[in-house]
Amino acid sequence: AGDVAAAMATRAAPAYAGLTLPALGLAEWAEQPWSPLFLEWQISYLEIPYETSGTRNWSFDGHDYVYTGPFGPFPADPQAPTRQMGGISLLTPQAQVTFRSRVEQFIDTYVRGAVDPPITLADLAKLDDEVGRIDGWKLMSQALTGFGDLVAMRDTRAQTAPDATVAADIAGQTQQVPYIPNGTPDAFSAVRQGQFAFTSLLVYDAFGQVLQVVGGTGPTDPQNFAPVRDPALTPSRPAITRNPQRLIEVPPRLMQGARLEFLLVDAVDDTKVVGTSAGANPVGGWVLPNHLDRSLLLYAPEGASLGSLRLLADDTGTTTARWQAPPHSALTLADVQARAPRLAAMIGEQALADPATFTAFLDTVDTSLWTIDPLGNRADVNLSVLIGRPLALVRARLDLALDGPPVSDLTPWALAWPPPAPDFLSYDFAVRLGDQATRSDGLLGYFAGGDTGTFNSVSAPAAATSYLRQIGPPGQTSDPNYLSLSFGATAPQAVTMLLDPRAEVHAITGVLPVKSLALPPKFVDGPLAALEVAFTVGALPTVIVPTPGSQPPPANPQAVSLPMPIEQGGTWAWWERSVDVPAGWAPYDLARAGSAAELTDLPATVRDGFLQLTVGLVPQGPAEPAQRRPPA
């Protein structure tokens, strides 16, 4: 071989006696570099039905569906009713291109111009170098083209034609459309759900070279192939126990377009959708946790005070959570029912009257609030510590909708018409509302339908009680607490949500993309600017003095002398019961008490009343100057 190569390289005349040498060089050919172009794949697909004899095979864990049911497992492949399918996919460098663009987007959004900690030019240069290295990644990627179509295909034959017998039957004017047999047809699947393993995997390049990754013997034996799997595609319970490392799980997904409808509706009439029905307001009331009084302050949808829910003792010493009218007001529970029926139903629930349950509810709400970030762009930081954040009681509805009529099996069309409805219309799909782990989800909990006897909270209840039940919890597949929706349902599922009005609420189904819902600002800004917050103050020794200042004229001629609260973002006032005024409530302004000990000829008295703050809780930032409002 060496002599031949030398003769070819030197073109020595004796070696080519009597021959005319070609004009091309005689150098030894070099192997063409690899340029991957196509991926030919074949898989063995095991369909795992959604349920078997009424028992679920797939369970929702709060994020997606996992196989947990009785279907299988099968010790070896021949015992499993698998389907063989395959196709050819075009290979592209999609992975590194997509990853690089996402990294660049992240750097531009969160890194460039950062001030805490500051980012230097040297640091940015290092990041740019690292991003540039992504272009050197030797990765090819592509989805298994046609996989979903093969799973859902109603007739797996392509370009079929009648054979001689059938053609003669048609020529004889048959009275039915024949189904042309070509072996046992595969079962129709409107939902992709199962596990599969590769039986063959070939890579072709632009020059016709072939690399067999799976499909031979030894290292390429399909039984030995162990792909690197994403956790979402790794079976937690393999349906085939023989060499389970090769199995890839595909959780339930519909084979036609669908969506989760998550809509705000009017707080009183569920048929009125916000944005399409005139005058529809999804806010059924406002709730403000009062940390100082361990109570819930209640407000109408427009922000007017409707009293509070607090622990009160009767003449026998029995303590219960009861409604208390707001200061200087003649409101009754009937008025609350008329102005805010959703709020009235919530506070009127008998289970919430129990002191232990009421305390657990307050603690659960407080625990959930600390996990919602950001707190909001407001100027009431001190007030948030005193009373928490205003929470909206919002009405919404959820429904599963298909893009067009449901796909159906056409194989029995020669026997009956129309075809039977697909099974997936009767499946119950779980929906998880709220996502505490994201920190940007504002849901604290919800009541399902018209039931106010169970508050489904995103965080674990502070104490065991039948009134509080945690949503999920995520990761649990045994008897979790989720909403249930069906594509065949005749009516949507209504919920009454307690949420932070500045954050979104997320709905997670697993079978469809995550849906988010936000409360429009027009339902938030005005009511929050009108909130009145009242703190009970009892046994306060003080004096009554003339209201300080004369320009502008004071609202009340007399004031209660006491240390002024640090929160100065609104207007403070003092209200107390009095038999000397017709309305039964006497108002006072506040006068700052000095720090020096002074003798005065004014009589000292012990006062009992309410310290009231009227303040706008709207955002106060330069990005939203249009939303600034003066104190009410």
Side-chain angles (χ1 to χ4, degrees):
D3 295 339
V4 174
M8 292 173 61
T10 60
R11 298 194 177 200
Y16 300 97
L19 298 177
T20 301
L21 296 178
L24 296 175
L26 298 178
E28 184 178 0
W29 283 12
E31 183 178 354
Q32 292 283 358
W34 266 82
S35 179
L37 185 61
F38 293 110
L39 177 74
E40 183 176 5
W41 55 273
Q42 290 183 353
I43 63 172
S44 179
Y45 174 70
L46 174 65
E47 181 176 358
I48 302 177
Y50 190 76
E51 57 185 24
T52 302
S53 301
T55 302
R56 292 281 183 85
N57 290 315
W58 298 91
S59 299
F60 185 63
D61 65 358
H63 302 281
D64 208 338
Y65 282 84
V66 293
Y67 166 53
T68 58
F71 184 81
F74 302 95
D77 292 0
Q79 297 177 268
T82 57
R83 293 173 52 186
Q84 307 303 314
M85 57 183 67
I88 296 179
S89 301
L90 179 67
L91 287 173
T92 66
Q94 178 183 355
Q96 62 261 40
V97 174
T98 302
F99 187 78
R100 172 173 179 164
S101 64
R102 296 299 299 271
V103 172
E104 289 177 338
Q105 180 184 10
F106 180 85
I107 293 175
D108 292 338
T109 304
Y110 298 104
V111 178
R112 296 187 191 276
V115 295
D116 187 21
I119 187 73
T120 65
L121 293 178
D123 294 333
L124 282 176
K126 292 179 180 179
L127 286 174
D128 291 336
D129 291 342
E130 292 296 325
V131 172
R133 291 177 55 189
I134 298 176
D135 285 334
W137 289 0
K138 302 299 182 182
L139 296 179
M140 306 298 291
S141 64
Q142 184 60 40
L144 298 184
T145 306
F147 173 60
D149 295 334
L150 290 171
V151 171
M153 191 173 288
R154 308 174 194 184
D155 186 350
T156 57
R157 304 159 300 149
Q159 300 178 352
T160 58
D163 57 24
T165 303
V166 176
D169 191 15
I170 294 176
Q173 299 182 356
T174 181
Q175 299 302 311
Q176 68 176 6
V177 180
Y179 180 84
I180 307 168
N182 186 21
T184 303
D186 294 318
F188 166 71
S189 298
V191 180
R192 184 209 71 188
Q193 49 198 2
Q195 297 176 7
F196 71 86
F198 283 98
T199 57
S200 178
L201 202 60
L202 302 174
V203 178
Y204 297 85
D205 82 337
F207 302 101
Q209 300 178 96
V210 181
L211 174 64
Q212 187 171 37
V213 182
V214 180
T217 59
T220 62
D221 189 331
Q223 296 292 335
N224 299 328
F225 183 56
V228 179
R229 301 167 293 185
D230 186 275
L233 303 179
T234 303
S236 58
R237 183 171 181 264
I240 298 176
T241 58
R242 182 185 179 190
N243 300 326
Q245 78 286 347
R246 60 196 172 94
L247 294 179
I248 298 174
E249 184 168 282
V250 282
R253 295 293 187 271
L254 265 68
M255 293 290 98
Q256 74 174 109
R259 69 182 180 186
L260 172 65
E261 292 186 342
F262 191 15
L263 305 173
L264 294 172
V265 296
D266 187 75
V268 179
D269 188 350
D270 292 343
T271 63
K272 296 182 178 179
V273 178
V274 174
T276 60
S277 301
N281 185 353
V283 179
W286 296 88
V287 177
L288 198 56
N290 188 329
H291 298 312
L292 292 183
D293 290 349
R294 296 289 292 170
S295 63
L296 293 177
L297 304 180
L298 311 173
Y299 301 89
E302 72 278 6
S305 179
L306 295 180
S308 62
L309 189 67
R310 64 180 69 240
L311 292 176
L312 298 173
D314 58 17
D315 53 359
T316 65
T318 303
T319 302
T320 55
R322 288 182 289 164
W323 176 79
Q324 186 178 46
H328 60 87
S329 170
L331 277 177
T332 64
L333 271 175
D335 297 325
V336 177
Q337 173 66 36
R339 299 179 64 176
R342 297 290 177 192
L343 187 63
M346 171 184 165
I347 65 173
E349 183 61 42
Q350 186 62 34
L352 194 58
D354 176 66
T357 300
F358 181 72
T359 302
F361 177 77
L362 290 178
D363 293 339
T364 302
V365 167
D366 190 55
T367 301
S368 302
L369 277 174
W370 284 113
T371 64
I372 300 175
D373 185 43
L375 294 175
N377 183 23
R378 305 189 305 273
D380 62 331
V381 178
N382 300 319
L383 192 63
S384 294
V385 175
L386 292 176
I387 60 173
R389 282 173 278 171
L391 307 174
L393 203 63
V394 176
R395 190 71 170 174
R397 75 182 190 194
L398 301 98
D399 196 13
L400 294 175
L402 293 171
D403 183 12
V407 295
S408 56
D409 188 1
L410 296 184
T411 54
W413 69 319
L415 305 176
W417 191 267
D423 293 339
F424 78 90
L425 292 180
S426 62
Y427 295 164
D428 290 328
F429 293 99
V431 180
R432 175 166 69 95
L433 288 185
D435 191 11
Q436 195 174 20
T438 65
R439 306 302 189 196
S440 61
D441 189 282
L443 183 69
L444 283 81
Y446 65 85
F447 302 100
D451 176 29
T452 56
T454 301
F455 181 75
N456 304 279
S457 62
V458 295
S459 61
T465 170
S466 60
Y467 179 77
L468 299 171
R469 188 181 180 193
Q470 185 179 8
I471 300 172
Q476 177 178 316
T477 58
S478 177
D479 191 29
N481 178 28
Y482 296 120
L483 290 172
S484 181
L485 299 180
S486 172
F487 283 100
T490 57
Q493 171 69 62
V495 292
T496 302
M497 304 179 294
L498 187 64
L499 55 87
D500 187 318
R502 297 177 181 85
E504 295 181 334
V505 177
H506 299 83
I508 303 169
T509 64
V511 296
L512 295 170
V514 177
K515 188 70 176 288
S516 61
L517 185 67
L519 195 60
K522 66 179 181 179
F523 299 117
V524 179
D525 295 347
L528 294 193
L531 295 187
E532 293 181 349
V533 184
F535 305 95
T536 57
V537 181
L540 174 68
T542 183
V543 295
I544 302 299
V545 299
T547 300
S550 57
Q551 295 296 332
N556 302 297
Q558 291 183 311
V560 175
S561 176
L562 77 165
M564 293 292 289
I566 190 173
E567 176 60 47
Q568 298 297 321
T571 303
W572 288 95
W574 177 275
W575 289 85
E576 63 181 43
R577 290 191 176 274
S578 175
V579 296
D580 299 329
V581 293
W585 288 91
Y588 296 86
D589 281 353
L590 298 185
R592 184 181 299 276
S595 58
E598 296 181 357
L599 295 178
T600 175
D601 55 356
L602 296 174
T605 57
V606 176
R607 322 297 298 191
D608 239 332
F610 290 88
L611 189 61
Q612 179 178 283
L613 172 67
T614 304
V615 59
L617 299 180
V618 294
Q620 301 288 331
E624 300 173 307
Q627 295 182 357
R628 293 186 177 184
R629 298 175 183 270

